[in-house]
């Protein structure tokens, strides 16, 4: 196991958890679809976008763990952008039902962990010469 692979194991797992939670949220939306107060159009759009971004970030994480500097940079940027987007969307009054705000808060915390870890000096140093 390479040093890059070791250092990225935890942030990669956090992205995997983000994606898994996102998929479970889409499944919950399907189950709750007959309750318009719980599953709004915004819920459908947001949950699908989150699954897609989760899959994309996981692909960046896999590429970065294989030593790809481009994947690492994309992962750093996308995870930070998603944290900001989550904060904004959760803060918007009435935009998302409470259950999705909670789910998004958890997703935001998972990605905040990713942002802290992949932007740390140790990991950045591994990609400094790539």
């Amino acid at each position: 196991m390479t040093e890059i692979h070791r250092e990225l194991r935890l942030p990669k797992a956090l992205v995997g958890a983000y994606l898994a939670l996102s998929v479970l949220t889409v499944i919950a939306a399907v189950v709750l679809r007959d309750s318009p107060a719980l599953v709004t159009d915004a819920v459908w759009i947001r949950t699908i976008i989150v699954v897609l971004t989760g899959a994309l970030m996981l692909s960046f994480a896999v590429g970065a763990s294989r030593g790809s500097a481009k994947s690492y940079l994309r992962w750093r940027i996308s995870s930070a952008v998603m944290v900001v987007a989550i904060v904004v969307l959760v803060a918007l009054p009435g935009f998302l039902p409470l259950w999705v705000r909670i789910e998004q808060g958890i997703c935001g915390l998972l990605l905040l962990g990713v942002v802290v870890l992949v932007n740390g000096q140790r990991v950045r140093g591994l990609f400094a010469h790539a």
Side-chain angles (χ1 to χ4, degrees):
M1 180 182 304
T2 68
E3 187 175 0
I4 289 174
H5 186 76
R6 266 192 312 276
E7 290 296 324
L8 295 181
R9 188 178 351 189
L10 178 56
K12 193 165 118 179
L14 292 172
V15 169
Y18 169 84
L19 178 57
L21 180 56
S22 301
V23 169
L24 290 173
T25 303
V26 171
I27 292 168
V30 169
V31 170
L32 299 169
R33 71 183 172 272
D34 293 329
S35 178
L38 295 176
V39 182
T40 62
D41 289 342
V43 169
W44 286 115
I45 293 166
R46 181 69 190 149
T47 57
I48 291 169
I49 288 171
V50 171
V51 168
L52 294 175
T53 61
L56 192 60
M57 274 192 283
L58 188 58
S59 75
F60 297 155
V62 169
S65 68
R66 292 181 180 154
S68 169
K70 286 183 181 182
S71 290
Y72 171 65
L73 178 61
R74 290 175 182 141
W75 190 16
R76 287 179 65 197
I77 292 168
S78 63
S79 60
V81 167
M82 285 304 297
V83 168
V84 171
I86 287 169
V87 168
V88 169
L89 293 176
V90 167
L92 287 174
F95 182 68
L96 295 169
L98 180 61
W99 74 277
V100 179
R101 285 176 189 251
I102 293 168
E103 178 269 345
Q104 284 291 279
I106 295 167
C107 282
L109 291 173
L110 291 168
L111 289 184
L112 183 59
V114 171
V115 169
V116 168
L117 292 169
V118 300
N119 286 289
Q121 185 177 6
R122 185 176 183 114
V123 174
R124 281 194 338 260
L126 294 173
F127 287 95
H129 304 291

